[in-house]
Amino acid sequence: MVEIKSDGELEAMREAGRVVAHALAAVREAAGVGVSLRELDEVARGVLAEAGADSPFLGYRPSFAPVPFPGVICTSVNDAVVHGVPTGYRLRDGDLVSVDCGARLDGWTGDAAVSFTVGTARPADTALIAATRQALDAGIAAALAGNRMGDISHAIGTVAARARCGMPADFGGHGIGRAMHEDPHVPNRGRPGRGFPLRHGLVLAIEPMLMAGGRDAYRTADDGWTLRTADGSRAAHIEHTVAVTADGPRILTLP
């Protein structure tokens, strides 16, 4: 069932989104050569605790997962697309890092992700991150009352195709509110003018995941969580929680 939020509920979600933004900013600032993924997770835990929020990621166990998720952030490095587990791996110069974070505050949830490079950036990685950002921006711009889900999906897919990037076909965005994952599903490819109608109060986590090799194939790592590109190419993942409003899309996961 799709839940439409009231204006007051959108304000409550904005506060949860603000916590997510602060956590991602703190993690990005702390990331550097030699810093472990587990240390980045501790940074995010501190931000959530200080805000009085908890994590919808920690302990989450969907049907495909062999164990509950052990962190408050997903840390996906280089060929990891999404769902990377924060381990003792220490970042190296040139690593491409995607960090996904959620926060639950006063019963409402925010979810966002960023991608960045550590140290010296490869030009190809810079281009991949830029294309992923453009895909997200295009999807957000299409999140207009009166449009349909396919308009968001088509906008994202068009940018990815233009950049000659692949995207994991089985994964995309989702509705969000009291729970981290709600209806409707937000595909990253679609036909314009088709799908679920967008209306004021609908809140979506929009999240393109681009893979530089151009293929859509991925594999699940031995940890049962991390998704990696099948061809070993690098990936980027950027996400915002976005409300559809009568005045246009409103990003709820900004600082």
Side-chain angles (χ1 to χ4, degrees), residues 47-71:
V47 174
L48 266 60
E50 184 176 354
D54 63 2
S55 171
F57 289 16
L58 184 62
Y60 181 60
R61 188 180 183 183
S63 58
F64 67 79
V67 295
F69 195 77

Side-chain angles (χ1 to χ4, degrees), residues 4-42:
I4 300 299
K5 282 72 176 177
S6 68
D7 289 347
E9 290 169 339
L10 293 183
E11 290 302 322
M13 290 192 69
R14 175 70 181 102
E15 293 309 307
R18 203 184 308 275
V19 175
V20 173
H22 291 162
L24 287 174
V27 167
R28 184 166 186 169
E29 183 177 357
V33 175
V35 177
S36 76
L37 302 180
R38 195 170 289 124
E39 288 168 342
L40 296 182
D41 188 71
E42 289 299 325

Side-chain angles (χ1 to χ4, degrees), residues 40-244:
L40 296 182
D41 188 71
E42 289 299 325
V43 169
R45 288 174 189 251
V47 174
L48 266 60
E50 184 176 354
D54 63 2
S55 171
F57 289 16
L58 184 62
Y60 181 60
R61 188 180 183 183
S63 58
F64 67 79
V67 295
F69 195 77
V72 303
I73 57 174
C74 298
T75 50
S76 304
V77 181
N78 296 333
D79 66 329
V81 187
V82 287
H83 302 163
V85 175
T87 64
Y89 173 83
R90 294 193 177 277
L91 295 170
R92 302 171 183 173
D93 186 54
D95 277 347
L96 193 167
V97 185
S98 297
V99 179
D100 192 354
C101 181
R104 187 166 45 223
L105 182 67
D106 297 330
W108 295 98
T109 309
D111 186 10
V114 295
S115 288
F116 55 89
T117 52
V118 174
T120 307
R122 300 181 184 184
D125 290 346
T126 300
L128 176 63
I129 293 170
T132 309
R133 166 61 65 184
Q134 290 166 10
L136 176 61
D137 289 346
I140 292 172
L144 299 171
N147 275 0
R148 289 183 174 268
M149 191 66 72
D151 295 306
I152 296 175
S153 306
H154 178 71
I156 292 171
T158 297
V159 174
R162 187 183 305 128
R164 298 183 179 180
C165 289
M167 291 191 291
D170 302 331
F171 290 86
H174 48 89
I176 183 170
R178 298 181 190 276
M180 178 170 59
H181 292 128
E182 296 183 351
D183 292 332
H185 176 58
V186 185
N188 282 332
R189 290 189 181 94
R191 298 175 63 183
R194 301 294 183 91
F196 190 84
L198 309 182
R199 54 176 287 199
H200 181 91
L202 177 67
V203 185
L204 306 171
I206 302 176
E207 50 179 324
M209 311 156 194
L210 271 59
M211 303 188 293
R215 297 174 57 193
D216 295 344
Y218 62 89
R219 63 181 180 84
T220 303
D222 292 342
D223 61 21
W225 275 101
T226 307
L227 302 186
R228 297 188 179 277
T229 60
D231 58 8
S233 64
R234 296 200 173 199
H237 171 215
I238 309 180
E239 174 185 17
H240 270 308
T241 296
V242 180
V244 178

